[in-house]
Structures are given as C-alpha cells and as structure tokens.
C-alpha cells in the first residue's frame, strides 16, 4: 500500500505559488486578483485565498506543543474544558436548588450572583455541592468584593477546602465606568485589590482579579480590539499591584480573563491562541518564579451582540459555531448564552439547550479529545500571528497613553468600541454584515412583540427609542443612574434597529402590503421579486408575490384589487425604460411605486417623478424607516 501511495504522489509534480497565481489570473480574465479574491478584514489585515507551507515557515508560534510556553497551543496537554452555567436566581435557596439540579446534568462549573456577601448566605447557596468536583465562580457588587472574599475564605477554611477549591471572584472595579461613565480611582482600586489578595492568600486556586473583555464583545467591538484591551487590562493589574509591593507571580496567578466569542469562526479561534501567546510574553516580563505563572486562565462566553429577537432559534446556530471556536481554541471553560436572552429571562428549556450545545461538541463531536487540532494549519497559524500583531499595536497604544485605567477614565476605550459598533450597525443597515432572519431572509409572518419581557435587552432598546428611559441609559436602568454617554459603552445589539422597525409595524393599526409586479424577463423578474420580498420583509410588511403578468395594466389592476400600499416593479434593466413609466402612470399615486434595481435609465425615470429604487447598494434600514414614516398609522 505504501508503495502504491508513493507512486501516486509522484504522478503530480509540485505546483509553485507563481504557477497557481498565473492560472487564477487567467481564469479571472482581467479582474484584479486582490479585488476579487483577497479579503480585507476589520482587524486591519488582508486574508489570502490560499496559504502554503512556506507562509508559516518563519513563524516562531509553531515550535511548541500544547502545554508548553508560550501556550499558543494551549495551557494543558488536553482539551478538557469546563462546561459552565450561570445560575440566574439571586435567592440563595433557589440558586442552590437549580445548581444541584444542573450538576446532575453534566455541568462542572457554576456562576453565581451574590447580593449579601455573608457566610450564612454561602451556607445556603453551596449546601450539598461537592466543591472538589466543581468550579465555583461568584459575581457581586464591586464595592462588596472584599467583604465577599472574606466570607468565602472563611467558609472554605471552616471546611478545610483550601487545597481543593477552584473558582473565581469577579472583582471588576470598571463595571460602573463602562456602564455609566463613572470615574476610575486607580489608587483606591489598588488598595482594595491588595486587601483582597491578602484575604485569599491561603486559597491558591481562587482567582479574584477580573479582566472582563466580554463587555467589549457584547458592545460590538472588533476582534483585535477585544484582545488588545484584554491584554492592556491584565497588564494594568500587573503594573498597579507590583508597584504596590505584590509579587508578580501572585498577581498573575489571580487574574481571570473572561472573553467573548462572536461568529467569525476562524478569527475567533485564532484570537484565543494569540491571547495566550501574548499574555505569556507579557507576564514573563514581570519575571515570575515559574513559566507556569505565565499561563492565561481563560473563560469564554458566546456573544449577545449578534443575538436576535426575530427568528430567535437562529441564535442557536450562531452560538454553536461560537462554542466550536472556543472549544477548538482550548479555552479553560465556556458559557453558551441561551438563545432567548434578548427578550426574556432564560427558562429551563433554553438553559438545557445551551448546556447540550457543549455536550454535543464533547460527546458526539469529540472536540475535547484533541488538544489544538488547528495547530499547524497554514490558515489558522497565519490568522493567529496577524491578529496578534494588530492587537499588540493597540496594546502599545494604550500603554503609551498611560495604561488601561487611564484610557477608560478619559473615555478613549469606550469611544473606540462605540465607533466600531456604530460601523457594524451601519454595515448591518447596508447588508454588508448579515444576520440571518433579521436583515436577510426574514420570516415575514413572525410576530414577536408579545414575547418581550420587561427587563430584557429588547425591552430596554424599545424603551430608549420611545423615550421611556432617559437618554444614554441603554443599560436598562430606566434612568436610575448617573450616566455619561460619552464615556459609557453602547450595548445595543446589532439587530436592534431592524427589530424596532418590525415592532413598529406590529404596533401600527395597518400592516403595509407590498405587491410584486413581476413582468418580462423570467429570470430577472424572479430574482428581483425574491430580493424585494426579503428587502421589505425586514420591516415585517405583508408580501404578495406573483408568478408574472402579461401586461403592466394587468399587474396594476391586480395590485389595486389587493389593496397594495407598495407596488414593486420587478423586471430586467432593459425593460424598465418601457414598463416603469407605464406602471407609474397607471398607478397614479394610489400606492408607493418602487423599481427593483438600478437601471441605466434611472435618471430618465427620476425625471418622470419615480424616486424609489431598491438594490444591493441601498441602505436597507434607512429606506424602510422612510417607508414606515409614510405608511404606518398609529
């Protein structure tokens, strides 16, 4: 068999890149290679259509094994990540009941939110939980973090669990800065962090210094920004506390990175590999005692920014690919955000599905059986290095400006993230970025207003538009906090603008009808009718499609009989010069008239008073907002 294989390979001579490129150029017939096949990323670098062995020949990142410094291939020699579930109830007894239930269903990492940081609370919250078999993570008010750390350590010591306890305290002093633009007092933060470190000193596996770059992910940042800011945040902890006299190894062993993961599959996979590599190199500069102190403790959370209210089950597809990115990248633990988070508190069903998404990756896809399966991939290795370079530039920029806390305090970080989010919302409006079921291929007949629960992100976004919440309070606080819009993160989901369009349609007393006047060239009329149906369906309008009309008059008569509010002429560019003027004249203002496409005769048609054209370069959101303002009745 081996001999046969060798003969087979010798029949195919090696092909150089230049030979391949020459063949591609010939097939493109004059279209520039860089324009047609090279992809320019939002991260600031270009992605080639093909990579070869020589592309990664000089990379230093390919010389280590999983578990070896600089940990680009993982901090372990296996891929046994922890499946984490957030326990949403803040009532200790109820939270304990839910925790015990899910621990029997495969979960081995828990997240709790604690309001009253006392030993008595922990007695109730952690009753009957086997601490040796589960990771325990706690969030509390940053102002109560020291008090909670004291209570938790007292609880642990009373049971002699210091050596077996694993978990974290989410001490995040920047939470109010990101949410409300509150000032950052670095000296006060340092003093409190030192006190917390002293309290937890006897519990070695309790991490208590949070780097929550997931907030940037949920606010719509680009991948290199999340990574660059996460590194700067972690470095700020190292610098701040070493200057306060704490040993670097102690600090590094207490930092927990909580990062988001969005749907850019390979880029997100590469982000986590780059994160471990860069953090190891940063931590090494502080001269810890051992290389192991340079390992990044990394928890991943699937994104909320790209979740949708309409066609919500598509959220499952998004979070599944996100979970795959994180799992293949070798994160330490993972939370899959339930699909119904945008419009309600997750219920037992959606939480079960979220858990099962991870179990599917483990038990059926066996992703936990191989460490860094992407290692050596020419494409992934190149992405890892490319993302690392762009994130490193941002990291150095933050350091040059005085460090992460300073850049948060003056609003530079928030402004940069908000600018990226604004660009992504604009791309969403123009369909340069697609959310299936929202700005492309919507379910025309879905209605969602009745499923929105108070307190959900969809409810908060709708309240902001209606003026029910004060300006700048997209956090959902209802205006009960002091917010500086210039220094707070805008957490509007990418789908929110389109969702508000559809909610307005649902709330109106009339639902506009869009009639497809299909005529002429068969292929073009069908293609443009489908395009137009998807276009107007994004606003929740009723779509009336047709197989075709013999004459323009026949189509207009059918549209009037259907009581159409919008008539869309669907034909070929060549035929529009004849059909459009006739249809516009016959319609005589009884409905909005739209031409599907951007024909060469556009200027001539505009001279006749035809002003509505929809095509691939249209701003879908603005166009539909304009139609809503003209057609909807309160």
């Amino acid at each position: 068999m081996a001999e046969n294989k060798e003969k087979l390979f010798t029949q195919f001579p090696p092909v150089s890149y230049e030979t391949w490129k020459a063949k591609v150029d010939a097939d493109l017939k004059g279209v520039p290679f860089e324009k047609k096949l090279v992809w320019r990323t939002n991260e600031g670098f270009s992605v080639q259509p093909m990579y070869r062995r020589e592309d990664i020949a000089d990379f230093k990142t390919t010389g280590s094994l999983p578990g070896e410094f600089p940990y680009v291939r993982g901090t372990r020699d296996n891929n046994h990540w922890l499946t984490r579930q957030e326990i949403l109830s803040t009532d200790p007894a109820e939270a304990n009941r839910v925790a015990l239930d899910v621990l029997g269903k495969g979960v081995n990492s828990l997240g709790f939110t604690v309001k009253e940081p006392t030993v008595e609370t922990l007695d109730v919250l952690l009753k009957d939980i086997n601490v040796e078999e589960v990771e325990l993570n706690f969030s509390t008010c940053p102002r109560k973090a020291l008090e909670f750390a004291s209570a938790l350590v007292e609880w642990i010591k009373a049971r002699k669990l210091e050596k077996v306890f694993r978990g974290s305290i989410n001490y995040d002093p920047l939470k109010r800065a990101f949410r409300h633009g509150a000032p950052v007092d670095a000296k006060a933060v340092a003093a409190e962090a030192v006190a917390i470190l002293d309290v937890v000193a006897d519990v070695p596996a309790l991490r208590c210094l949070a780097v929550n770059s997931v907030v940037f992910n949920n606010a719509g940042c680009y991948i290199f920004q999340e990574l660059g800011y996460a590194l700067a945040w972690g470095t700020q902890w190292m610098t701040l506390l070493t200057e306060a006299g704490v040993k670097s190894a102690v600090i590094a062993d207490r930092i927990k990175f909580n990062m988001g993961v969005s749907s850019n599959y390979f880029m997100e996979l590469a982000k986590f590999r780059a994160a471990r590599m860069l953090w190891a190199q940063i931590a090494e500069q502080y001269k810890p005692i051992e290389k192991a102190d340079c390992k990044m403790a990394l928890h991943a959370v699937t994104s909320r920014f790209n979740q949708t209210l309409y066609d919500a089950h598509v959220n499952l597809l998004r979070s599944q690919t996100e979970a795959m990115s994180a799992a293949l990248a070798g994160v330490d633990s993972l939370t899959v955000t339930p699909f119904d988070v945008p419009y309600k508190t997750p219920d037992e069903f959606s939480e079960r599905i979220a858990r099962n998404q991870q179990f599917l990756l483990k038990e059926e896809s066996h992703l936990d059986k191989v460490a860094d399966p992407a290692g050596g991939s020419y494409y992934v290795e190149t992405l890892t290095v490319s993302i690392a370079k762009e994130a490193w530039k941002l990291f150095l920029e933050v350091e040059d400006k005085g460090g992460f806390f300073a850049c948060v305090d003056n609003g530079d970080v928030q402004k940069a993230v908000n600018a990226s989010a604004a660009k992504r919302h604009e791309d969403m409006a123009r369909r340069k970025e697609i959310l299936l079921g929202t700005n492309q291929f919507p379910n025309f007949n879905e209605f969602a207003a009745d499923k929105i629960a108070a307190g959900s992100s969809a409810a908060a976004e709708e309240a902001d538009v209606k003026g029910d919440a004060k300006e700048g309070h997209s956090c959902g606080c209802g205006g009960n906090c002091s917010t500086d819009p210039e220094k707070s993160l805008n957490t509007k989901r990418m789908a929110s603008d389109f969702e508000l369009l559809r909610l307005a349609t649902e709330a109106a007393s009339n639902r506009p009808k869009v009639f497809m006047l299909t005529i002429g060239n068969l292929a073009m009329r069908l293609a443009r009718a489908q395009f137009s149906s998807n276009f107007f369906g994004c606003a929740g309008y009723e779509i009336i499609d047709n197989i075709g009309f013999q004459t323009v008059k026949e189509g207009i008569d059918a549209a009037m009989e259907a009581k159409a509010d919008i008539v869309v002429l669907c034909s070929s560019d060549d035929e529009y010069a004849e059909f459009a003027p006739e249809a516009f004249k016959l319609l005589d203002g009884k409905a909005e008239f739209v031409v599907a496409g951007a024909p060469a005769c556009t200027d001539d048609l505009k001279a006749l008073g035809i002003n509505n054209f929809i095509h691939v370069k249209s701003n879908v959101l603005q166009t539909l907002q304009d139609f809503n303002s003209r057609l909807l009745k309160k």
Side-chain angles (χ1 to χ4, degrees), residues 47 73 83 106 133 162 213 215 231 293 299 353 395 402 421 424 429 447 464 469 475 485 503 509 552 574:
V47 174
R73 302 200 63 194
T83 300
E133 296 182 357
E162 296 96 319
S213 66
V215 301
L231 296 171
D293 296 321
H299 175 66
I353 294 295
F395 167 76
R424 294 187 69 185
F447 299 92
D464 280 347
C475 58
L503 290 172
S509 60
V552 170
D574 293 339

Side-chain angles (χ1 to χ4, degrees), residues 575-589:
E575 293 171 302
Y576 279 142
E578 175 188 352
F579 291 152
E582 182 183 0
F584 183 66
K585 183 177 181 180
L586 289 172
L587 191 59
D588 194 25

